[in-house]
Amino acid sequence: MPDNLVSIIMPVYNAAPFLADCLKSIQQQSYSNWELVAIDDFSTDASFKILEEASSFYRQIRVIKNTEKGIIPALSLALKNANGHFITRMDADDIMPADRLLKMVEALNAASPKTVVTGLVEYFSTTVVSPGYKTYQDWLNKNIQEANPWANVYRECIIASPCWMLQTQELRDIGGFGSLEYPEDYDLVFRLFKNQFPIKALPEVLLKWREHPDRTSRNSEDYAQESFFKLKVKRFLEFEKPLENLVLWGTGVKARLTAKLLLENSTPFTWMDLHPEKYPDGIFDQVILPFREIEGMEKVKLILAVYPPKKEKLKMENYLKNLHLKEGETYWYF
């Protein structure tokens, strides 16, 4: 592999309205030692034509037609054809700030082996960015700069899918994109977590994340809330054994979805809430106990599906600290 060559892998499906802006942002990178491996995923619009035209002007751009429909096969094909020492993902509707590749390469060259580099993200739109996406943007940017961003790996996908870079061979060594499940960006993060990659978060915006109504994440069941919860519960049960005394706190929508999935997986758990008196008949035939029942339990692993205001959250976390429970080790937000 050529020293410090960056392979930018990019699945493309019906992205014609946005491709020109995306390609321009790549071509204008201050770091010039890159190749773009674009995989056309059976587009029915002008995407392939736009990519072919770009590749005729820039030898650094290679366009390949996917052989099996879907983002995971497209990413796997791109990785197979990547020649770079480093690898990063880009999505065809987003924009790279001009110094993104340079800053990520510099960070990786200074980092220990098996490091994933990421940075801040910023949503943009030709209309209005929804409050939900702004909230996620702010949470994501705050979390990746924490001392242990992995502590929240079961709450949300903690690394933006088009905003990471690592060594190509290290990605291949952990299985690449093979056998990932949808949502694939979240499952790749779980794979990095399982293989104990430290996260190096840069304090600059390295991804302009386009919000628009045709985004795959808005329109595919693979990225619906239930798909995320199925994956996070599956990985939690896989990674956090033993689960001798598993406790679930909360009775809202996310707590009920978590409980449903635990029951489907035949995983015993104790269900508690801050206000169990509201549920005298239980939920899903499960008794809801007062949260203080946890005080008489040993070797607890706690799933928190409650999101109190900041002041109440601090009180709750101090309470858990007094029980010698630690975020990311014996309790996790879902």
Side-chain angles (χ1 to χ4, degrees), residues 4 6 30-31 86 99-112 115 117 165 200 202 204 206:
N4 289 340
V6 176
S30 59
Y31 186 84
F86 300 123
D99 290 334
R100 168 175 156 169
L101 296 183
L102 176 63
K103 291 182 181 298
M104 285 183 147
V105 167
E106 288 177 344
L108 270 179
N109 277 329
S112 59
T115 295
V117 170
M165 184 184 287
K200 172 65 176 177
L202 302 179
E204 299 92 0
L206 298 183

Side-chain angles (χ1 to χ4, degrees), residues 264-280:
E264 288 176 357
N265 280 277
S266 301
T267 300
F269 67 98
T270 303
W271 202 342
M272 300 183 185
D273 190 57
L274 304 180
H275 302 287
E277 68 278 1
K278 294 181 179 179
Y279 309 96

Side-chain angles (χ1 to χ4, degrees), residues 54-73:
S55 68
S56 69
F57 285 101
Y58 289 86
R59 290 187 299 173
Q60 291 166 278
I61 298 176
R62 285 185 287 141
V63 185
I64 303 171
K65 286 200 170 188
N66 205 3
T67 55
E68 180 184 349
K69 183 83 174 96
I71 292 177
I72 294 174

Side-chain angles (χ1 to χ4, degrees), residues 71-72 75 89 180-189 223:
I71 292 177
I72 294 174
L75 291 168
R89 173 176 168 177
L180 291 183
E181 298 182 23
Y182 289 105
E184 86 297 330
D185 52 345
Y186 200 5
D187 208 12
L188 178 62
V189 167
Y223 303 93

Side-chain angles (χ1 to χ4, degrees), residues 206-217:
L206 298 183
L207 174 71
K208 299 281 191 175
W209 218 349
R210 189 187 299 269
E211 158 66 344
H212 62 89
D214 296 325
R215 288 182 62 186
T216 302
S217 59

Side-chain angles (χ1 to χ4, degrees), residues 10-169:
M10 187 169 75
V12 181
Y13 175 70
N14 286 356
F18 317 111
L19 259 177
D21 287 345
C22 177
L23 292 172
K24 183 178 179 181
S25 75
I26 294 171
Q27 292 157 5
Q28 293 182 342
Q29 286 295 297
S30 59
Y31 186 84
S32 61
N33 193 17
W34 55 264
E35 64 168 6
L36 172 64
V37 184
I39 308 296
D40 179 65
D41 190 24
F42 297 88
S43 294
T44 57
D45 66 0
S47 293
F48 184 71
K49 182 179 179 181
I50 294 169
L51 290 169
E52 275 202 315
E53 184 174 329
S55 68
S56 69
F57 285 101
Y58 289 86
R59 290 187 299 173
Q60 291 166 278
I61 298 176
R62 285 185 287 141
V63 185
I64 303 171
K65 286 200 170 188
N66 205 3
T67 55
E68 180 184 349
K69 183 83 174 96
I71 292 177
I72 294 174
L75 291 168
S76 296
L77 183 58
L79 177 57
K80 181 180 178 181
N81 285 274
N83 297 315
H85 181 67
F86 300 123
I87 191 163
T88 188
R89 173 176 168 177
M90 186 61 178
D91 285 350
D93 48 358
D94 298 328
I95 291 175
M96 283 188 180
D99 290 334
R100 168 175 156 169
L101 296 183
L102 176 63
K103 291 182 181 298
M104 285 183 147
V105 167
E106 288 177 344
L108 270 179
N109 277 329
S112 59
K114 290 181 65 177
T115 295
V116 57
V117 170
T118 186
L120 307 185
V121 301
E122 183 179 281
Y123 276 108
F124 74 101
S125 176
T126 54
T127 55
V128 177
V129 177
S130 68
Y133 280 109
K134 283 186 176 180
T135 299
Y136 176 54
Q137 168 196 291
D138 295 343
W139 177 85
L140 183 67
N141 288 342
K142 181 177 182 295
N143 184 71
I144 61 167
Q145 297 180 90
E146 296 286 350
N148 180 22
W150 287 123
N152 274 305
V153 70
Y154 299 110
R155 182 169 180 178
E156 299 282 357
C157 184
I158 64 169
I159 300 175
S161 58
C163 193
W164 51 260
M165 184 184 287
L166 65 158
Q167 290 191 33
T168 307
Q169 190 56 50

